[in-house]
Amino acid sequence: MSTSEKTYHHGDLRAALIDAAIRVLESGEPFSLRAVARRAGVSPAAPYRHFADREALDSAVAVEGFHDLRADLAAALDSAPASSSAADVIAELGIAYVAFAMRRPAVFRLMFGNECDDANAERVTASAELHTVLNEAVERLFPGADVPSLSTALWSLAHGLAFLHLDGKLRPEPADAVSARVHTVVGAILAVPLRPASPQLVDTTTGEIS
């Protein structure tokens, strides 16, 4: 055991390895268990005490990312003034979502770029908790709405905006401009009036819709 490893208290090594993995990812270095061990200052064998393989470490990093993103969304909700409109609250959630992606792009891509293993209870739970935040907000802000469908639509909007910025399709800076863009886009979507579909008449002879 190296001197560095001896300094860790029980349970701290796993957390230190996850933190090192995040730093390796965000630095753009080639990602491997060996690289993570080197960044953490421990022996190459140390990560295997907590992670069977690279995939297990990936999932642990994803869980950490989901927890941090959930905390950012919860903070956005908590900081919204009581007088905020539903559109403004949803916009703040979108801004927090995109800001997280911009701040931690490699972790964000890992969180959503790999299929979530249903057998990994911790990752499944962490991902579900993220959606719970949005579902509860939608249920509170839009009484009577189809919560699952509206939540999925709003998540898709924020997620799409995040990747448009990450991929350079939309300018990723300055941060104030990104926030204003997200706010405007969310507001535009929620401001679209919902009109009932026009009645469609079917010609019983030809079966054509008129």
Side-chain angles (χ1 to χ4, degrees), residues 176-206:
D176 288 348
V178 173
S179 295
R181 181 183 295 126
V182 174
H183 195 285
T184 300
V185 169
V186 172
I189 290 295
L190 293 178
V192 174
L194 299 179
R195 298 190 180 92
S198 301
Q200 294 181 323
L201 301 178
V202 178
D203 187 318
T204 57
T205 304
T206 63

Side-chain angles (χ1 to χ4, degrees), residues 7 72 99 105 118 123 130 145 148 197 204 210:
T7 64
D72 286 358
D118 290 342
R123 184 167 182 173
L130 188 65
T204 57
S210 59

Side-chain angles (χ1 to χ4, degrees), residues 11 17 73 75 119 124 139-140 158 169 171 178 182 196-197:
L17 289 167
L73 297 181
V124 170
E139 188 172 20
R140 174 173 59 85
K169 303 301 186 293
R171 286 187 59 83
V178 173
V182 174

